[in-house]
Amino acid sequence: MKYSKLSSVILGLVVASITWSVQAALPEPLDPREVSSMNFEQRLAHGRMIREEMNKATPDERKSFREKMHQKMQALSPQERKELHKKMHSEWKNLSVEQKDQLKQERKSMMEILTPQERKELREERRRAYESMSPEERKKWREEMHRPAKND
């Protein structure tokens, strides 16, 4: 009797470790300059691939991926980030309504993958980032995002 319980525990541990090791980790985030050089179709396909991998990942793996993406962006010089922002914003303006809708749907699908706790953490991160902005930066951000001003 004891032998069967012990073998069941060992078998469970082996299966768990195999499952854990087989589980695909998220790929390394691309350099932001590389992403900005992609055309619409490439960017959409890459986003779908990342979403599929995010769906398989654990909350900790997703958080680690977002942190790595943030680090890659912060590794750029302020001038590079500004130029990248302008380029991406310009490209967004030139997309058709259908293309914008496709990208919005991809982002929405990505958010649906997250747990309620992950969504809460992301909202908190965005709130802290917004609060650290100067009044001019907030105004520019609202204008770019086409959002009405709240009482600051």
Side-chain angles (χ1 to χ4, degrees):
M1 186 80 166
K2 282 187 176 183
Y3 184 76
S4 66
K5 286 183 181 180
L6 179 60
S7 62
S8 296
V9 169
I10 291 173
L11 180 62
L13 290 173
V14 169
V15 170
S17 67
I18 290 171
T19 304
W20 182 258
S21 65
V22 169
Q23 188 178 31
L26 288 166
E28 189 67 22
L30 296 178
D31 184 285
R33 293 170 289 218
E34 189 176 340
V35 174
S36 74
S37 68
M38 292 178 175
N39 64 33
F40 172 77
E41 289 79 19
Q42 291 170 322
R43 204 173 289 151
L44 188 64
H46 179 72
R48 285 184 177 148
M49 184 271 301
I50 293 295
R51 180 174 46 84
E52 289 168 6
E53 294 301 318
M54 287 278 218
N55 198 20
K56 299 174 196 171
T58 66
D60 287 338
E61 290 170 330
R62 289 190 288 261
K63 184 176 184 176
S64 174
F65 182 83
R66 286 190 304 273
E67 288 170 353
K68 287 178 186 176
M69 279 182 25
H70 183 72
Q71 289 169 354
K72 286 192 179 216
M73 191 62 147
Q74 293 304 312
L76 300 176
S77 71
Q79 184 61 33
E80 285 178 306
R81 285 195 301 268
K82 187 176 182 178
E83 290 170 6
L84 196 62
H85 173 79
K86 283 182 182 178
K87 180 181 180 193
M88 298 296 282
H89 192 71
S90 172
E91 289 177 7
W92 174 260
K93 285 182 176 181
N94 292 328
L95 293 177
S96 69
V97 172
E98 293 80 20
Q99 289 173 320
K100 287 179 182 178
D101 287 344
Q102 280 181 296
L103 288 175
K104 287 176 185 177
Q105 185 56 46
E106 276 301 309
R107 286 190 210 122
K108 183 178 180 181
S109 296
M110 187 75 81
M111 293 306 288
E112 290 171 351
I113 290 171
L114 304 178
T115 64
Q117 181 62 33
E118 287 176 289
R119 289 186 204 129
K120 182 180 177 183
E121 289 171 5
L122 284 175
R123 276 191 304 272
E124 185 62 27
E125 284 176 30
R126 286 192 303 268
R127 186 188 61 75
R128 283 192 306 268
Y130 185 77
E131 288 175 351
S132 70
M133 292 179 186
S134 69
E136 296 81 22
E137 290 172 321
R138 288 182 188 184
K139 183 177 187 285
K140 183 178 179 186
W141 185 85
R142 281 192 305 267
E143 288 170 356
E144 287 178 356
M145 298 308 234
H146 311 290
R147 298 191 181 196
K150 288 185 178 181
N151 296 335
D152 290 331

